[in-house]
Structure formats: C-alpha cells, structure tokens
Amino acid sequence: QQQQQQQPSSTTITIYNNHTITLPLQLPNPNTEPSKYCYEIFAWRYTTLWISIFGFIVISQCYEYFNAWGYLGFCGGLALPLMLQPIFYPQASTPSITVNNVNVNGSKVEEKVVVINNPDAKRPFHKRYSTKATLYLLVYSFIGNYWYTHYFYSVLQAKYTMPSHRLNDVPIAMFLATHFYFCTYHVCISNGLLRYVDRMYCENDPKGGGGGGWWAFLGVL
C-alpha cells in the first residue's frame, strides 16, 4: 500500500546570488518582493497586538464602560498605527532571515543572517507599497461599512446596539475597526492563502489541473 505523499509547508528559493532560504509558502519572496515581505511581517506582528488587546477588552468586559467616545477612541487608537505607518515608519519591519550559502555542487557550505531592507524607506510617499495598501484598505473599509452594512441590516435583521457616533446609520468606530481587521484579512490571510495555493499546486502543475479546484473555491468565497 502506497504511502500518501506529504505536502510541503515551505519552499526553497534562491536569494542573493548563491544563497538559498527555506521560506513558508504563504510569505512573499524577500528577494523579488522585499516591500511586500516587510509589510506583511509588520501586519502579522500588529495582528497579534490588536487581537491581544481586543481579547483583553472582551474577556475583561471593559467595553461595558465605553460610551460613544470610548468606542471611537479605542477603535481609532488601534487603527491609527496602520494609517500612520507609511508616513512615519515606511521600513515597516526589519526582519532578519538565515540563508544557506550553496556551492556549485548544491551542498550547503555555511549559514548567514541577512537583514531585509524595505525599498519603501527610500521611496517617495506616494510610491510606497504600504501607502497603496493602506489606501486600498481605507477605501474598501469605507465602501463596506457605508453601503454593505445595510445588507446585514435588511437581510439578517442585524443592528449595532453600542453607543456611537454614526454615519449613514453605521457607527464611525466600525469604520476604524474595519481597517485593522481588514489588514489582517487581506494583507495577511488572503495574500498568504492565495500565495500558498499558487506555490503548492499551480507551480507544481503548470497545466492548472491541481490548483483549478482551489481557485474556483477561493473565487466563490
């Protein structure tokens, strides 16, 4: 009886000439996409922070003491670092990775730690990847809240009961909250999932048979 082949969870890529790195399938290539790599690392790190803070607020039930300004300040405070990052911290992160120096025979000679420098740090503000990502999230968050929230109001009969300042009957605090959790959804999870499927199936199956079902499934989602 044949054993089922185990799917890889990482991929080996060449970086900086004869150096190689074993990279998780969901992360960008730091050699060809250093801006995306640094920004997604930043987004993942910030995700752990905002979820921890949010979790504390829920578990401790501090929200019971929030008024409209409290919700606005809390959600705005969590969204603000992401909005200001392209201006004040364009580097986003300075991750260090361990690469393997490989000789012509393909054997590993030595390991070396390389720091990934984000090109955004030297780019004009309007050309930075993080600026474009932040603008996309701001626009998408506004559209989703201003218009699509009423789908839940009408179809699911859902409503917000928290004290709030409102725009088009949607709490303004939710416009801000959507920004940081959309950063997690779209920058971290969605990008990582699409990249994982592409590397796992499509690159190993140029005809597209292996990844076709996944792309159809993700398209429906």
Side-chain angles (χ1 to χ4, degrees):
Q1 189 176 14
Q2 291 182 343
Q3 291 184 344
Q4 186 177 4
Q5 185 177 1
Q6 186 177 5
Q7 296 285 12
S9 59
S10 60
T11 182
T12 301
I13 61 174
T14 301
I15 181 172
Y16 304 125
N17 299 325
N18 63 330
H19 293 87
T20 63
I21 176 178
T22 301
L23 189 72
L25 288 173
Q26 72 273 16
L27 289 178
N29 186 330
N31 190 31
T32 58
E33 299 177 307
S35 294
K36 282 187 178 182
Y37 184 84
C38 291
Y39 186 71
E40 288 191 26
I41 294 295
F42 169 79
W44 273 114
R45 290 173 178 173
Y46 192 75
T47 292
T48 60
L49 176 63
W50 80 255
I51 289 180
S52 299
I53 296 174
F54 220 91
F56 172 78
I57 294 296
V58 172
I59 294 173
S60 65
Q61 297 186 345
C62 290
Y63 59 87
E64 295 286 356
Y65 302 97
F66 286 1
N67 57 17
W69 288 106
Y71 278 106
L72 194 64
F74 173 64
C75 294
L78 289 179
L80 200 60
L82 291 170
M83 296 178 181
L84 297 180
Q85 177 270 323
I87 302 173
F88 296 106
Y89 186 44
Q91 173 65 34
S93 63
T94 312
S96 58
I97 56 177
T98 302
V99 297
N100 301 317
N101 189 5
V102 179
N103 60 22
V104 292
N105 297 323
S107 59
K108 185 173 69 172
V109 178
E110 62 178 351
E111 290 185 345
K112 179 181 179 181
V113 176
V114 175
V115 175
I116 305 299
N117 293 310
N118 190 345
D120 275 3
K122 296 182 179 180
R123 288 175 179 152
F125 172 73
H126 66 283
K127 291 186 177 182
R128 294 169 183 167
Y129 173 78
S130 56
T131 301
K132 298 172 185 177
T134 300
L135 182 61
Y136 167 80
L137 292 173
L138 285 171
V139 172
Y140 197 17
S141 299
F142 180 84
I143 293 174
N145 280 282
Y146 192 85
W147 282 288
Y148 296 158
T149 298
H150 289 272
Y151 168 84
F152 297 97
Y153 288 174
S154 302
V155 177
L156 302 178
Q157 298 298 309
K159 63 179 181 179
Y160 289 109
T161 58
M162 60 194 229
S164 60
H165 307 285
R166 297 192 173 226
L167 177 64
N168 196 25
D169 199 28
V170 178
I172 296 177
M174 294 310 302
F175 286 82
L176 298 169
T178 303
H179 184 78
F180 57 79
Y181 67 71
F182 266 21
C183 181
T184 298
Y185 291 167
H186 295 287
V187 176
C188 300
I189 299 175
S190 295
N191 279 352
L193 184 59
L194 292 172
R195 199 175 290 117
Y196 179 87
V197 172
D198 186 57
R199 289 176 177 168
M200 176 73 79
Y201 298 101
C202 299
E203 288 185 1
N204 297 326
D205 185 7
K207 294 183 180 180
W214 274 100
W215 286 120
F217 172 72
L218 293 174
V220 172
L221 289 180

